[in-house]
Amino acid sequence: MTVTLAGVPAESTTALDGESLHPVVRRRRPRPGPLVAGGFLLLLLVAVVRPSLLAPGDPLAADPLTVLAPPGAAHWLGTDHLGRDVWTRVVHGAGHSLTIGVAATAMAVTAGVLLGLLAGLAHRIADEGLSRSFDALSAFPMLLLALLLIAVVGPGTTSLIVAIGIATLPHHARVVRAQTLLVRRAGYVEQAVTFGLSPTRLVARHVLPNVLGPIPVLAVIGLGEAVLAASGLSFLGMGPQPPSPEWGAMLSEGRNYLQVGWWITIPPGVAITLTVVALTVLGRHWQARFDGRQSR
Amino acid sequence: MRQPRLRAVTRRLGTGLVVLWAATSAAYLALLAAPGDTVDAIVGDGADTPQIRAEIITEWALDRPAAVQYLDYLRRLAEGDLGRSYLLQRPVAEVIGEQLTATLTLAVTAAGLGVLLAIALATATAGHRRPWLRRASSGLELVLVSTPTFLIGIVLLTVFSFRLGLFPVAGDQGVAALVLPAVTLALPIAGLLAQILRDALDRALDEPFVLTARSRGTRESAVLLRHALRHALLPTITLAGWLFGTLLGGAVIVEQVFGRPGLGQVTLAAVTGKDMPVVLAVVTLSAAVYVVVNTAADLAYLLVDPRLRRS
Amino acid sequence: MSQLVAVKNLHVTFATKGGEVRAVRGVDLTVERGEFVAIVGESGSGKSVTVRTLVGLPGPGARVKATRLELAGQDVRGHRPRDWRRIRGRLAGLVLQDALVSLDPLRTVGAEIAEVLATHDIVNRWERAGRTIHLLDQVHVPEPERRSRQYPHQLSGGLRQRALIASAIAGEPALLIADEPTTALDVTVQAQILSLLAERRAAGQSLLLVSHDLAVVGQIADRILVMRDGQVVEQGPADRLLRAPNHPYTRQLLDAVPSASSRGRRLSTPARRGPGRTVVVRVQATLPARQPVRAGDPVLSVAGLTKRYGEHTVVRNVSFTIARGETLGLVGESGSGKSTLARIVAGLLPPDAGDVTFERTPWSAAVERRRRPLRRRLQVISQDPMSSFDPRYTVGQLIAENLDPGLTRAARVDDVTALLRRVGLEPHLRDRHPRSLSGGQRQRVAIARAVAPRPTLIVCDEPVSALDVSVQAQVLDLLADLRAADGTALLFISHDLGVVHHLADRVLVMKDGEIVEDGPVGDVFTYPRHDYTRSLLDALPDLVTDGRP
């Protein structure tokens, strides 16, 4: 009689690789998460580039006759306190919210990569100086640093971009610096020295590609954070001013009508959450694939 | 044996001081970089009379050379003088001092709640047990981390205050008024910490010493709490600085959503009213506390991990 | 009931993302009371999974089936976690490799031992500390009171391993399972731990030892099982099995062990390995003849080399020369400074004092720009080939990078093909990534890359330490072939005296940064002059090889 051993608790995986005759062929089952996330982001891209394809109406058109209409056939996410269609505003708001996030992230990642590389490749003293300045910038809580910058230059879309860009910069710079140091000390870089490569070749052929490889992943995950930060600051009234349909600002406006119309606040809020979730899922998926490629 | 440890401590303290100085200077630079006249920036939306302008020039030493202005500013900070708000017509230290307790209460409650929730979620779902619970928990954490704090607050407010009437809508009176704001602030923290903790727990559970512990007949709960959790909690000590920053930033939003008085409201009012002395003081102060918290965490790590205590 | 362990037809299967992996396929195993049984096999043979199944810890996602699975007469099939916990530590104790990670690094050694005492309520709370110290004393840990309050990292490798054994025997289990207990240890420490295990057996405990090393288990086990691909291919009394192995695989394993007697002979058996079936053609082939070593013509000379890290001197006043075509062995235990010496010789680390001259040109004293043209003639092979490969490169790109930069594209492709063939790899592997290769294939790629520029000297830093014995045999044969064909000099660094004895012409013995003895391999290993060399040789477990041709 053969009995299966039950209740075997989990513990460390026994190494089964090596010269085994049973090569474990890693086949990836297609996961639905990244696919759905990608699909949603594509939809979002449409909303940014051609919002009229999804919502033909005017996001600013107020209709005093249909104020605070609940979700229904005519306005399927309802209307707000000025009678504007919530669905149209959410779709058109994607442009505002995402532009701020993308611009801020592009700024932070570009500057972060340059400064991080500089610190990682520079001499000890220069590295120390740069690293301490990254530390000093990270000492400010992100939101407060952004608020300080906005207090200096005043609210608005541009100041929001600059504020979030500067506030997230030190994080990217530190990651890139750490990665640069890691690659610089890697066995394959030392090995390449024994091939007689010149320092310039060494950096161009082995260091740069391996440092820059994970940057897109970093940027995608950073974008999620930037969108979140932007919505928070807009909510506080530091971003695009009403009547712009920015998601955070919409929530801020609709908040006064919570008791009479939840549909003004919840849809833009859910849009933010879904966007950030989709970016994170996709970013992590790429990261896992990248890590899988890096290690064995 | 004691010598290198002392050196490590002094090195960290030194670095902390350098960072503190750099952060203070960066904030000061932001004021100077403000477009227009510095006096205008300091007055903000407050009453603008020649007498006040003269006061400002004396207080900030604006009639002296730049280097003197800067050194004078550092000296005043070191003495604990945070300057004067010309919008509120009061010393900044007084304004901040009044509101500190409210925000501190909120932040400490939220931090405790968040950490406890994270530990509970992570220990319940780490390892290879209960895959369905694990998936549900990771999904929840992802949503919590990705949802803006104000949305969490608004949803809680709608459900528990407006619909169910369990908690007051606004204010800071009593424990009941603290519940929703604290939960709002705690949830994103719990989500992120739980993700980090579970990762660390998983890694610890894959270590050979866990196999050894299991091979002794140790209970699974003891393996988790006595062995793995210690390893998982160690690296989270270094997150103390991040936690502080998140709490402070989150407090600004939460206080706004729930109409709670506190440092966040002060800051927001100052930014809107262009009250630079207050903004500057809050930002500088938060950076200073961050540096202190971070340095303390680094030192605590040195003390807690026996492997770092070696000669 | 005298059988402590009785296993019949054991199958362990793991569900992985890539499908089912059958790690153990129909293993029968018995351990009598008081018996010392050893399981020997290479990685992936299923030896660890087999013994871990005996304590109910085969690994996550494992499915276990057996017609019989008994511990001390108790049928453990269908045991629930609670039932297993009563067995673990009490009926069977487990000792793993390397106590630095197998003991909780955040807890004191004493707390780890006391955990067993508390879990199984062996002694009451007040007596635990005393019993812990007694146990440490039993495994010959000096100053047990002080040691019990220390953390694993504060103990030396040998003491740590003893403490781990103390924790495994704290519950007075009838069976002690040791899974590669000496693998991470230096040879002198390994000998001490093995004698400690033998002592446990003398005290009446049954032992089940898992190892990749036939020589290690041959010394102390009563009975040996040889496993391969999840099955037991041969088992029998230790001396019979080593002296007259029945199964060709056992024979192949024995032949693969490099030693004094294997000099000049091929270690690997030319065998065709089809799916599941092995036809071993036993020919004791000899290695190809080499060009004579030109003693008066040094490729590399090292004089008075010293390297310090802080106050710690890692390499102290080291001098030697390597003649053209010569293989110089460098042996030493961990921390002896041999890897630091290798990096200085490779021109990757500047020495604090002393000089390295390569091809009669200043090497360590020269600036990197001057060294660069000569670099191609001095190549390096390291222990872990993966870390020396740019993670983005394919096999072909890795090898091509070290070819003459002036070559045309077509010539490059031809050269890579020729090099892959030379190291015994199929040319179609050029487009593969090293990640998808086995450990042996990876090291072959590293060798192909090193010989590409036709170097006059190759520094080999523990090139076969991470490999299974049969793969090690193939790689050592390959190095011997290439050396004979090209007349390349080798600086061969290893902790394994057998490997060095097999391959090297001369040997340096290094201890605490100093060369304590040097000379022709035969002389040094037969008539050691220095005490340290003698202790290394004494600690070496020797294989009983009488029955072999």
Side-chain angles (χ1 to χ4, degrees):
Chain A
M1 194 192 75
T2 304
V3 175
T4 302
L5 199 76
V8 177
E11 38 92 296
S12 78
T13 340
T14 321
L16 287 168
D17 62 340
E19 311 290 331
S20 164
L21 258 192
H22 310 282
V24 182
V25 188
R26 286 184 68 83
R27 248 178 310 150
R28 254 173 205 292
R29 235 184 306 153
R31 297 274 220 75
L35 270 179
V36 174
F40 179 79
L41 289 177
L42 270 181
L43 208 67
L44 216 55
L45 194 66
V46 175
V48 173
V49 182
R50 273 282 162 78
S52 49
L53 279 181
L54 297 170
D58 178 0
L60 301 182
D63 180 2
L65 296 178
T66 51
V67 167
L68 288 171
H75 301 280
W76 59 286
L77 282 181
T79 59
D80 67 3
H81 56 288
L82 296 176
R84 297 173 295 194
D85 183 59
V86 174
W87 164 249
T88 311
R89 283 180 68 76
V90 168
V91 169
H92 286 258
H96 284 89
S97 296
L98 283 182
T99 311
I100 296 171
V102 169
T105 310
M107 181 182 145
V109 169
T110 313
V113 166
L114 290 176
L115 290 172
L117 271 174
L118 200 62
L121 292 173
H123 201 266
R124 272 265 277 299
I125 300 164
D127 176 26
E128 188 75 9
L130 279 168
S131 297
R132 291 303 147 251
S133 4
F134 303 156
D135 287 350
L137 266 186
S138 343
F140 301 105
M142 201 191 101
L143 195 99
L144 289 189
L145 179 56
L147 281 177
L148 169 68
L149 296 171
I150 288 168
V152 171
V153 291
T157 307
T158 319
S159 21
L160 211 55
I161 292 171
V162 175
I164 294 172
I166 291 178
T168 51
L169 186 158
H171 169 72
H172 295 299
R174 287 167 117 177
V175 172
V176 172
R177 173 182 173 268
Q179 174 78 5
T180 311
L181 290 181
L182 209 68
V183 172
R184 253 181 81 174
R185 291 175 192 149
Y188 55 85
V189 170
E190 184 165 89
Q191 192 82 26
V193 173
T194 70
F195 302 157
L197 287 188
S198 68
T200 341
R201 281 245 172 112
L202 204 67
V203 169
R205 205 184 276 176
H206 294 289
V207 179
L208 276 186
N210 282 299
V211 172
L212 298 181
I215 297 302
V217 177
L218 187 73
V220 169
I221 293 176
L223 178 55
E225 282 157 20
V227 167
L228 212 52
S231 74
L233 286 165
S234 294
F235 175 80
L236 296 176
M238 305 299 161
Q241 300 299 308
S244 287
E246 202 280 339
W247 292 339
M250 284 172 73
L251 258 123
S252 177
E253 270 185 89
R255 178 162 91 84
N256 302 323
Y257 304 90
L258 265 183
Q259 274 164 298
V260 281
W262 56 266
W263 54 87
I264 310 177
T265 29
I266 302 303
V270 170
I272 297 168
T273 306
L274 286 181
T275 307
V276 180
V277 167
L279 286 170
T280 312
V281 167
L282 213 61
R284 282 192 196 157
H285 175 68
W286 281 342
Q287 187 161 41
R289 283 186 49 176
F290 195 86
D291 289 349
R293 206 154 62 82
Q294 289 290 300
S295 65
R296 69 175 49 218
Chain B
M1 183 140 170
R2 290 202 76 77
Q3 206 56 31
R5 200 165 136 197
L6 194 70
R7 205 177 302 153
V9 170
T10 37
R11 198 186 131 71
R12 272 175 175 74
L13 287 177
T15 318
L17 274 178
V18 171
V19 171
L20 186 57
W21 163 75
T24 316
S25 309
Y28 181 70
L29 266 179
L31 175 74
L32 293 189
D37 191 21
T38 309
V39 178
D40 286 336
I42 295 170
V43 173
D45 292 350
D48 191 358
T49 64
Q51 194 204 339
I52 286 177
R53 294 189 82 89
E55 246 178 72
I56 291 173
I57 288 171
T58 340
E59 195 199 332
W60 292 78
L62 291 177
D63 50 345
R64 317 272 302 271
V68 178
Q69 287 179 31
Y70 171 62
L71 289 176
D72 185 62
Y73 170 73
L74 284 186
R75 180 188 54 79
R76 276 189 290 128
L77 269 188
E79 286 168 1
D81 178 4
L82 295 176
R84 192 178 165 77
S85 160
Y86 293 91
L87 184 67
L88 305 172
Q89 303 282 347
R90 294 172 63 194
V92 175
E94 212 179 280
V95 179
I96 291 177
E98 267 175 16
Q99 305 294 336
L100 205 56
T101 337
T103 303
L104 219 55
T105 316
L106 175 66
V108 170
T109 318
L113 212 62
V115 170
L116 284 180
L117 202 60
I119 291 179
L121 275 178
T123 47
T125 55
H128 303 263
R129 312 153 297 149
R130 307 173 213 155
W132 53 272
L133 188 66
R134 187 191 167 95
R135 224 166 295 142
S137 174
S138 336
L140 176 71
E141 287 151 23
L142 180 58
V143 170
L144 286 180
V145 172
S146 309
T147 305
T149 315
F150 51 87
L151 180 62
I152 297 179
I154 285 173
V155 169
L156 291 179
L157 206 58
T158 312
V159 175
F160 292 100
S161 298
F162 293 142
R163 289 283 147 89
L164 303 174
L166 290 177
F167 299 103
V169 173
D172 69 334
Q173 301 307 304
V175 181
L178 183 64
V179 175
L180 288 186
V183 170
T184 306
L185 196 50
L187 284 179
I189 290 168
L192 197 91
L193 276 183
Q195 289 178 336
I196 293 170
L197 260 182
R198 188 177 35 242
D199 264 8
L201 273 177
D202 280 349
R203 243 174 292 129
L205 286 172
D206 266 350
E207 295 278 342
F209 67 80
V210 165
L211 182 61
T212 306
R214 286 191 175 123
S215 79
R216 292 182 188 132
T218 310
R219 298 176 157 279
E220 206 49 28
S221 54
V223 167
L224 203 64
L225 297 178
R226 208 185 292 154
H227 293 277
L229 189 59
R230 280 176 169 222
H231 287 260
L233 282 176
L234 258 190
T236 53
I237 294 178
T238 53
L239 287 175
W242 162 85
L243 181 65
F244 166 78
T246 308
L247 282 169
L248 212 60
V252 176
I253 287 173
V254 169
E255 285 174 3
Q256 172 76 358
V257 171
F258 290 94
R260 263 179 81 84
L263 216 51
Q265 296 278 39
V266 168
T267 313
L268 217 52
V271 172
T272 321
K274 296 193 184 335
D275 191 355
M276 277 313 276
V278 173
V279 178
L280 213 53
V282 169
V283 171
T284 309
L285 211 59
S286 63
V289 178
Y290 173 93
V291 171
V292 171
V293 168
N294 225 14
T295 309
D298 275 359
L299 293 178
Y301 201 102
L302 272 183
L303 290 177
V304 176
D305 191 338
R307 285 166 295 187
L308 299 176
R309 273 187 249 151
R310 69 194 312 177
S311 50
Chain C
M1 191 50 74
S2 74
Q3 272 189 349
L4 192 59
V5 178
V7 176
K8 212 164 177 58
N9 199 19
L10 175 71
H11 287 263
V12 183
T13 322
F14 289 92
T16 67
K17 277 179 192 146
E20 281 208 331
V21 176
R22 297 173 62 196
V24 179
R25 305 183 288 161
V27 164
D28 297 348
L29 167 72
T30 56
V31 180
E32 308 286 332
R33 277 189 195 276
E35 195 184 17
F36 196 143
V37 178
I39 302 182
V40 176
E42 298 188 281
S43 52
S45 63
K47 54 189 195 302
S48 283
V49 177
T50 304
V51 298
R52 287 176 192 188
T53 306
L54 294 179
V55 286
L57 294 166
R63 270 209 355 255
V64 178
K65 282 183 172 184
T67 21
R68 196 170 168 207
L69 192 56
E70 284 170 17
L71 284 178
Q74 205 186 126
D75 188 353
V76 297
R77 295 176 301 171
H79 259 29
R80 282 164 305 164
R82 183 153 34 93
D83 310 320
W84 277 117
R85 280 204 299 271
R86 277 199 293 271
I87 290 175
R88 296 183 195 142
R90 195 77 175 104
L91 193 59
L94 182 64
V95 177
L96 297 172
Q97 175 184 339
D98 192 4
L100 184 58
V101 287
S102 298
L103 286 170
D104 192 333
L106 296 185
R107 284 156 57 86
T108 60
V109 166
E112 288 283 276
I113 298 172
E115 184 175 66
V116 191
L117 301 175
T119 306
H120 297 288
D121 229 348
I122 312 262
V123 290
N124 67 40
R125 185 181 295 266
W126 324 112
E127 291 167 33
R128 268 179 220 151
R131 178 61 75 91
T132 300
I133 289 162
H134 173 71
L135 281 161
L136 282 172
D137 191 42
Q138 228 179 324
V139 295
H140 314 299
V141 170
E143 304 177 81
E145 293 92 346
R146 189 166 75 88
R147 295 301 184 185
S148 75
R149 288 191 304 271
Q150 289 187 322
Y151 292 90
H153 72 264
Q154 293 172 301
L155 270 54
S156 69
L159 284 185
R160 275 202 293 266
Q161 203 64 21
R162 285 170 192 276
L164 183 61
I165 292 173
S167 85
I169 61 172
E172 295 156 10
L175 176 68
L176 185 59
I177 300 173
D179 191 351
E180 302 269 11
T182 61
T183 303
L185 302 175
D186 282 327
V187 56
T188 46
V189 184
Q190 163 172 299
Q192 295 161 13
I193 296 295
L194 289 177
S195 82
L196 177 62
L197 290 179
E199 202 177 289
R200 295 310 310 163
R201 182 273 182 89
Q205 220 156 17
S206 303
L207 268 103
L208 185 52
L209 174 67
V210 171
S211 179
H212 66 282
D213 192 336
L214 267 170
V216 161
V217 305
Q219 278 195 317
I220 48 173
D222 300 323
R223 200 148 52 81
I224 298 178
L225 283 79
V226 179
M227 277 188 78
R228 181 196 191 185
D229 299 334
Q231 288 172 319
V232 176
V233 295
E234 178 170 10
Q235 66 163 307
D239 30 326
R240 197 279 295 156
L241 190 125
L242 294 181
R243 215 167 271 139
N246 288 329
H247 195 278
Y249 178 65
T250 316
R251 193 162 275 280
Q252 189 190 322
L253 279 184
L254 285 168
D255 285 345
V257 178
S259 66
S261 57
S262 67
R263 275 180 75 83
R265 172 170 76 71
R266 298 198 89 81
L267 295 168
S268 58
T269 329
R272 286 269 149 252
R273 243 183 163 198
R277 175 175 298 252
T278 308
V279 186
V280 179
V281 190
R282 252 180 76 80
V283 275
Q284 286 283 313
T286 50
L287 290 170
R290 293 164 57 195
Q291 297 152 17
V293 171
R294 286 191 269 162
D297 180 12
V299 170
L300 181 97
S301 25
V302 170
L305 220 54
T306 296
K307 180 75 192 173
R308 288 180 214 93
Y309 285 120
E311 287 152 29
H312 190 58
T313 307
V314 195
V315 174
R316 193 190 303 266
N317 197 21
V318 166
S319 307
F320 61 86
T321 58
I322 303 178
R324 201 163 290 281
E326 185 185 31
T327 298
L328 179 65
L330 175 61
V331 295
E333 298 188 293
S334 52
S336 60
K338 49 190 197 307
S339 284
T340 308
L341 184 56
R343 296 191 59 210
I344 297 174
V345 168
L348 296 169
L349 195 70
D352 290 328
D355 260 316
V356 181
T357 315
F358 175 59
E359 294 280 16
R360 299 176 188 278
T361 354
W363 182 249
S364 63
V367 293
E368 181 60 28
R369 198 155 35 80
R370 303 240 163 206
R371 254 196 311 245
R372 216 169 284 141
L374 267 177
R375 281 240 181 240
R376 297 170 54 76
R377 289 154 79 177
L378 194 160
Q379 291 294 308
V380 180
I381 300 172
S382 60
Q383 176 177 352
D384 175 17
M386 268 319 257
S387 73
S388 77
F389 296 158
D390 189 310
R392 298 170 305 120
Y393 280 29
T394 62
V395 168
Q397 289 171 316
L398 284 167
I399 297 174
E401 183 174 23
N402 212 8
L403 288 169
D404 187 345
L407 286 179
T408 63
R409 221 183 138 79
R412 233 164 236 282
V413 174
D414 289 348
D415 279 8
V416 169
T417 309
L419 281 163
L420 282 171
R421 286 230 168 84
R422 259 198 105 187
V423 297
L425 293 174
E426 295 289 329
H428 71 80
L429 288 179
R430 78 167 73 234
D431 297 323
R432 290 271 287 278
H433 197 281
R435 281 187 303 269
S436 65
L437 302 184
S438 71
Q441 288 174 318
R442 289 172 189 168
Q443 200 55 282
R444 283 173 196 266
V445 173
I447 293 171
R449 182 174 65 172
V451 298
R454 302 241 158 205
T456 49
L457 174 66
I458 304 180
V459 176
C460 310
D461 190 0
E462 302 266 9
V464 293
S465 313
L467 303 174
D468 275 325
V469 64
S470 61
V471 183
Q472 167 180 303
Q474 294 163 9
V475 171
L476 287 175
D477 284 349
L478 173 65
L479 280 173
D481 288 342
L482 294 172
R483 168 181 75 173
D486 297 356
T488 318
L490 302 179
L491 175 58
F492 194 95
I493 298 165
S494 179
H495 68 282
D496 187 334
L497 277 70
V499 171
V500 170
H501 207 163
H502 170 79
L503 202 69
D505 302 313
R506 278 192 308 130
V507 63
L508 307 174
V509 182
M510 200 166 177
K511 181 180 193 287
D512 299 332
E514 282 178 287
I515 306 290
V516 296
E517 185 159 2
D518 70 310
V521 176
D523 295 357
V524 171
F525 286 167
T526 323
Y527 310 107
R529 278 165 292 146
H530 196 275
D531 286 344
Y532 178 68
T533 318
R534 210 166 294 136
S535 71
L536 281 181
L537 287 165
D538 288 346
L540 208 60
D542 39 20
L543 216 46
V544 194
T545 52
D546 311 355
R548 298 203 295 154

